[in-house]
Amino acid sequence: MNSSNNYIYSLQPNPEGFFGQYGGTYISETLSNIINELKNHYYNIQNDESFWQEYQKELKYFVGRPSPISYAERITQSVNGAKIYLKREDLNHTGAHKVNNVIGQALLAKRMGKKRIIAETGAGQHGVATATICARYGLECIVYMGAEDIKRQVANVYRMKLLGAEVVPVNSGSKTLKDALNEAMRDWVTNVDNTFYIIGTVAGPHPYPAMVRDFQKIIGQECIQQMPEITGRQPDYIVACIGGGSNAMGIFYPYLNLKNTKLIGVEAAGKGLATGEHAASISKGSFGILHGNATYLLQDDKGQVTETHSVSAGLDYPAVGPEHAYLHDEKLADYVCATDEEAINAFNICCRLEGIIPALESSHALAYAIKLAKELDKEKIILVNLSGRGDKDMHTVAEYNGIQL
Ligand SMILES: *Cc1c(COP(=O)(O)O)cnc(C)c1O
């Protein structure tokens, strides 16, 4: 696929890591050596067959890829419009798309001779995936997590500990994901010599946004193969939820070359865009710099990052990956929103009509896809990236419904 001659989008960031005005490398002096080392290794693996063979082998025999695409037949019947298909990232080992990226970065860490891995986590999904792969490769694993998130995600914290990781509570700021990211960066500055920082989404200083996308584009590459086998053609629409944007970038990227497939990213509108309690960085944010890159950011007049809200912890991040900011401005993808309530409704529909308990993050994509399907005729095809399974969200959904488990 990389040698296709009718590429309309083969964008790589420029050597400084910019997608247009977004991205870049906004880091402290202390990190410049390690970032350069990482950049060199990232560029080296581009054409290194043996690296990608090992990566593919892990995805096949450990993660269980390729993940299937399921026709959501009963949801489709109930909407009486376009056909809805689901790319089943929920069936990956560890339950979401995150592991694709973690394997890629962990293999890179091994090549660079780094035996100590650090990561940040919000809901705990990236932490669990990282702890899992570190256990498999025999690497030391330290996960930074906001103290508030540790309280909300007791099961995932224990899961990481079972897998041998050390979970470090972060008590600064709002004690959530963005603070955990700051703390992980601080650790990295101090321990650059033996430490590899595995970032969980398409954000951070260059080369992370492009590198994480490259480790997630397997999702879209599989869909390009699978859709014609299942439906005879490529989908008219692809819909994916946006936290930092890694599952969306992974399914979008290969499709940026296909003019007839529209790409739609769904941000978390929380309690409604008008309430201010949301995490819609593209819809409601403005240009700024966070965690090493320039992008759309939720900030106040003084440039302070604002508090965000979403019922799904994985979407509760005040920024978005720089490539999405670029795709938005260039109108190569559309960005819309779904509220907490719409996501919970879609979650319930998916449970009852399809026998699939989706992650609340993925339920945002599904909510928008259902709305869209109703407006389209029956020949149209919508492919939803079901980024993860919802077992982790049992407590949140029960609480939302006023039920005590
Ligand atoms: C973490 C997570 C997300 C959000 O992260 P992206 O980088 O935007 O993909 C979405 N879905 C699931 C299941 C997640 O665990």
Side-chain angles (χ1 to χ4, degrees), residues 218-233:
I218 184 74
I219 304 173
Q221 287 171 337
E222 285 176 4
C223 292
I224 282 188
Q225 287 239 312
Q226 292 166 314
M227 284 305 285
E229 290 163 13
I230 299 167
T231 69
R233 65 184 181 86

Side-chain angles (χ1 to χ4, degrees), residues 96-98 125 200-201 241-247 314-315 359 361-362 387-388:
H97 68 288
K98 295 238 165 57
Q125 293 304 103
T201 191
C241 65
I242 309 270
S246 68
N247 86 88
L315 303 187
E361 291 83 4
S362 327
S387 52

Side-chain angles (χ1 to χ4, degrees), residues 31 61 121 138 140 189 231 270 272 376 395:
L31 285 179
Y61 295 108
T121 200
E140 185 186 354
V189 170
T231 69
L376 298 173
H395 272 87

Side-chain angles (χ1 to χ4, degrees), residues 192-311:
V192 276
D193 289 345
N194 65 345
T195 300
F196 190 103
Y197 180 14
I198 299 190
I199 295 186
T201 191
V202 283
H206 178 61
Y208 282 100
M211 182 171 72
V212 174
R213 174 204 68 202
D214 285 348
F215 291 142
Q216 289 292 0
K217 71 184 179 196
I218 184 74
I219 304 173
Q221 287 171 337
E222 285 176 4
C223 292
I224 282 188
Q225 287 239 312
Q226 292 166 314
M227 284 305 285
E229 290 163 13
I230 299 167
T231 69
R233 65 184 181 86
Q234 297 298 344
D236 300 292
Y237 297 86
I238 289 182
V239 183
C241 65
I242 309 270
S246 68
N247 86 88
M249 223 40 250
I251 196 167
F252 287 0
Y253 191 65
Y255 277 96
L256 283 159
N257 301 305
L258 305 180
K259 284 201 188 83
N260 295 331
T261 303
K262 280 198 80 164
L263 308 174
I264 303 176
V266 186
E267 298 193 292
K271 295 180 182 169
L273 291 186
T275 66
E277 293 187 57
H278 58 75
S281 324
I282 293 182
S283 308
K284 284 286 173 184
S286 52
F287 184 87
I289 292 162
L290 184 70
H291 299 136
N293 66 104
T295 188
Y296 280 106
L297 196 61
L298 292 169
Q299 54 191 334
D300 64 19
D301 306 341
K302 298 188 182 78
Q304 290 294 321
V305 176
T306 50
E307 293 282 300
T308 50
H309 164 82
S310 171
V311 71

Side-chain angles (χ1 to χ4, degrees), residues 72-81 349 353-354 370 374:
E73 188 169 8
R74 300 222 309 134
I75 294 181
T76 298
Q77 280 166 3
S78 79
V79 298
N80 199 27
I349 288 169
L353 295 187
E354 298 299 335
I370 289 171
K374 287 177 181 165

Side-chain angles (χ1 to χ4, degrees), residues 36-47:
N36 277 332
E37 192 188 341
L38 178 61
K39 220 161 32 178
N40 289 338
H41 276 87
Y42 167 63
Y43 290 139
N44 283 341
I45 58 159
Q46 306 280 319
N47 300 309

